[in-house]
Amino acid sequence: MAEKLHMAVGIMGNAASLLLFAAPILTFLRVIKKRSTEEFSCVPYIISLSNCLLYTWYGFPIVSNKWENFPLVTINGLGILFELSFIFIYFWFASSNRKIKVAVGTICVITAFCIIALVSSFVFHDHHHRKIFVGTVGLFVATAMYGSPLVVVKQVISTKSVEFMPFYLSFFSFLASSLWLAYGLLSHDLFLSTPNMLGCPLGFLQLVLYCIYRKNKGVIEEPLKWDIEKNDNDKTKQLQPALNNDEMITTINGKC
């Protein structure tokens, strides 16, 4: 019964994570349409790529005991494809300065993962120590992944707008972290449950902020000088015919 419940929660966690990985599609459709990354940040996607790489490796029989964490392999393997696609689109439409940062960040993440995979394979010779090594690194990366939206949270509070914090990304982040927390507790795996203990409250915080600022679609800007001048010119044009009529009446009266 416990194994069936564990597998059922893993399947639900997979479904929630799939929706989480797919949630930014709407954001990147906007990026493609406007041909600009605007104020969106690529940091969450680079960190998510790192997280997916590590937990895919964590679920493989090389690290875990046989296929006990098979759900991790399936969903995080799919997550790698999603995150690489998003990073590529962001890189394509980003400014030159941002392209350099995205390229450096992505290369560093992939290089670090390769080193971790090699060390865990050839330095450690049993599943227990491999899980401790990869799980510890994954713990810090997962914590960073769930903490990365704090950059957006700061922006939401300062601008009082949720324009750059998509609702579905926040909602599915909260849902996925809740399910994987349950999955980790059922399997008594602290490396799976601990980072999600942080992910749950952070996802809930984003939902609360969205409810508070959801009516504000964008930052309210002060009227520009040229707008004021344009309005003054429009008013002048409206008054001009009236002035011309007064002048005509004065002229006619003068002639009379």
Side-chain angles (χ1 to χ4, degrees):
M1 182 66 183
E3 290 182 1
K4 290 182 179 179
L5 179 61
H6 183 246
M7 181 59 67
V9 173
I11 292 172
M12 288 189 291
N14 269 4
S17 295
L18 177 61
L19 294 172
L20 172 62
F21 292 141
I25 289 176
L26 295 176
T27 298
F28 282 93
L29 285 175
R30 170 175 170 170
V31 169
I32 293 170
K33 182 178 179 180
K34 293 192 174 184
R35 303 186 66 82
S36 171
T37 57
E38 299 181 278
E39 296 301 318
F40 292 109
S41 174
C42 195
V43 172
Y45 306 106
I46 295 175
I47 297 177
S48 294
L49 173 64
S50 177
N51 182 76
C52 289
L53 288 168
L54 283 170
Y55 278 100
T56 299
W57 184 247
Y58 185 87
F60 271 119
I62 298 174
V63 178
S64 295
N65 184 21
K66 298 182 179 179
W67 289 104
E68 62 177 346
N69 287 314
F70 180 71
L72 289 177
V73 178
T74 55
I75 191 59
N76 284 290
L78 187 60
I80 293 171
L81 297 178
F82 272 104
E83 302 306 331
L84 285 174
S85 300
F86 296 147
I87 291 170
F88 176 77
I89 294 171
Y90 190 97
F91 179 84
W92 187 265
F93 292 104
S95 61
S96 299
N97 188 32
R98 286 187 176 183
K99 282 183 178 180
I100 296 172
K101 293 180 180 179
V102 172
V104 171
T106 305
I107 292 171
C108 287
V109 162
I110 294 174
T111 303
F113 167 72
C114 292
I115 294 171
I116 292 168
L118 289 172
V119 170
S120 61
S121 298
F122 298 105
V123 174
F124 301 101
H125 303 288
D126 60 90
H127 293 294
H128 177 69
H129 289 92
R130 286 173 180 171
K131 286 183 72 172
I132 292 176
F133 175 67
V134 178
T136 302
V137 178
L139 177 63
F140 286 105
V141 173
T143 302
M145 182 186 74
Y146 287 122
S148 60
L150 289 175
V151 177
V152 182
V153 167
K154 180 182 178 182
Q155 184 182 15
V156 169
I157 295 174
S158 61
T159 61
K160 301 185 185 303
S161 170
V162 294
E163 183 179 4
F164 299 105
M165 188 180 74
F167 169 76
Y168 291 110
L169 188 62
S170 301
F171 175 72
F172 291 127
S173 176
F174 171 71
L175 182 61
S177 60
S178 300
L179 288 168
W180 286 116
L181 171 61
Y183 181 88
L185 292 174
L186 287 171
S187 59
H188 306 288
D189 193 328
L190 291 177
F191 296 119
L192 295 178
S193 59
T194 303
N196 290 292
M197 289 180 184
L198 176 64
C200 285
L202 285 178
F204 184 74
L205 173 63
Q206 292 178 62
L207 292 176
V208 170
L209 288 174
Y210 192 93
C211 292
I212 295 173
Y213 298 114
R214 64 188 176 87
K215 292 183 179 180
N216 299 336
K217 299 300 182 182
V219 182
I220 300 175
E221 298 180 354
E222 296 181 358
L224 299 175
K225 183 178 179 182
W226 66 270
D227 288 328
I228 298 172
E229 291 176 350
K230 181 180 179 181
N231 291 334
D232 290 341
N233 290 335
D234 291 340
K235 290 179 180 179
T236 303
K237 289 179 181 179
Q238 292 175 1
L239 292 173
Q240 192 65 36
L243 293 173
N244 291 338
N245 290 334
D246 291 341
E247 290 175 1
M248 286 180 65
I249 293 170
T250 304
T251 304
I252 293 170
N253 292 334
K255 289 182 179 180
C256 294

